[in-house]
Structures are given as C-alpha cells and as structure tokens.
Amino acid sequence: MKNPLFTALVALLFLLSSCALENSVSTYPVNNHPTKTEQLTSVNKTLMLQLVNSVRQNGCKCGDTYYPPAPPLVWDDRLEDAAQSHSNDMLQNNYFSHIETDGSNGGVRIQRAGYNWMAYGENIGMGYKTEREVVEGWLKSPGHCKNIMNKLYKEMGVARAGNYWTQDFGSR
C-alpha cells in the first residue's frame, strides 16, 4: 500500500511542473470502472486526446526548450493500428524498442497500416497503468515531450498491449 503523504507530495510536485495537465481531465467517471481485460488492452481515446491536446493548447517546456501552443491533434485509426501492432509485438516478444523484431521502424509500420505520411513520430512507454500516467511519463522525457508538442503533427493514434504503450503521430 502506498504512503498517502508520499502520494500527495508526488501529486503536488506534478501540479507545479511546467506541463501540468488541466484538472478537467483528471478523473474517470465514478461508474466507469474498466474490466481487467480492458485495463490491459484498451485506450480511452477521448481521454488520451484531451490529455495531449491540453498540453499542446498551453505550450510546454520539454527539457530546456519551451514549445509554444500547438494546434490540437485528431485521432486516426490507421495510426492506432500501427501503434497496436508495435505494442503487441513488444509484449509478445518481451522487448522495449522503437525497432520491431522484423527490423521495421515507426515509419514503416505506419505506412503498412495504410497511413501515407509526410511526417511521423513515435513515443513508446512501458510499465504505465493509465493514460494519465503514460502521458505524464512522456512529458518528463524531452524527446517524447517534443513529439507531443511538434506542430508538424496533425493526427495521433495510441494503443497498448499489457503495459506496453505506443503513440504514433503523423501528418499527410
């Protein structure tokens, strides 16, 4: 069991960070408890878009670099399919990398999913249990944060398999 004082301190520190997520998306509805299977495999698309677009709307400091507000992203099912394929492969083959077991990278996987990109980016995460946790983790990493704030990207898809997460970005 976690120490309540430690939990409160961690929450306070995050709220004070330069990229704190807006309170409007801070909780799940009381009666919306996902099943164990859903917890392991599903992503709340609406919540994920809210979390990412809230940061993009406000601007964010990623490492030592400030990124001004960026336009909101929209969900793309092809990017989600590419992300799901990669998350599944990482889980099934017990690894954590942007390079898949067949040697493909995010650009190849996104193209295979039918998304003809002009620009793409990819974030991966492991060990996170919720959308909020994984976004907070990505925001603490300058490279992942930069992807979230990149104005070139217009669309996004996110998927998970177990606690392996993939976030693919693109523009066509």
Side-chain angles (χ1 to χ4, degrees):
M1 181 173 232
K2 290 184 178 178
N3 180 327
L5 183 57
F6 175 77
T7 303
L9 180 59
V10 169
L12 178 60
L13 288 173
F14 180 74
L15 289 173
L16 295 174
S17 73
S18 62
C19 300
L21 302 173
E22 291 184 8
N23 289 333
S24 63
V25 292
S26 64
T27 60
Y28 289 100
V30 173
N31 294 326
N32 186 17
H33 297 289
T35 66
K36 187 171 185 176
T37 301
E38 290 171 333
Q39 289 173 343
L40 294 176
T41 61
S42 68
V43 171
N44 182 328
K45 297 174 190 181
T46 302
L47 178 61
M48 186 60 75
L49 276 171
Q50 287 175 334
L51 293 169
V52 169
N53 284 332
S54 173
V55 173
R56 287 175 63 92
Q57 177 183 355
N58 292 317
C60 187
K61 187 172 181 185
C62 302
D64 293 334
T65 305
Y66 174 77
Y67 291 87
L73 298 171
V74 297
W75 195 267
D76 186 274
D77 290 336
R78 292 163 296 185
L79 292 173
E80 178 187 11
D81 289 345
Q84 189 68 65
S85 172
H86 189 52
S87 291
N88 289 347
D89 191 60
M90 288 190 293
L91 176 66
Q92 291 166 0
N93 293 292
N94 194 31
Y95 73 96
F96 184 68
S97 173
H98 288 282
I99 305 301
E100 203 159 292
T101 53
D102 67 2
S104 64
N105 65 19
V108 170
R109 289 189 296 274
I110 291 168
Q111 187 75 36
R112 281 185 199 151
Y115 187 95
N116 297 316
W117 55 268
M118 289 184 1
Y120 82 90
E122 180 175 81
N123 289 341
I124 58 175
M126 182 177 68
Y128 299 101
K129 296 177 184 171
T130 67
E131 290 81 358
R132 178 172 290 284
E133 286 179 10
V134 75
V135 171
E136 288 173 359
W138 286 329
L139 291 173
K140 291 176 185 173
S141 162
H144 293 103
C145 181
K146 180 180 176 182
N147 275 341
I148 289 172
M149 294 305 299
N150 192 325
K151 289 183 178 185
L152 287 176
Y153 304 144
K154 309 295 182 207
E155 299 166 310
M156 171 183 89
V158 180
R160 70 185 289 196
N163 286 325
Y164 290 89
W165 297 76
T166 305
Q167 180 181 40
D168 285 328
F169 301 95
S171 60
R172 295 175 279 154

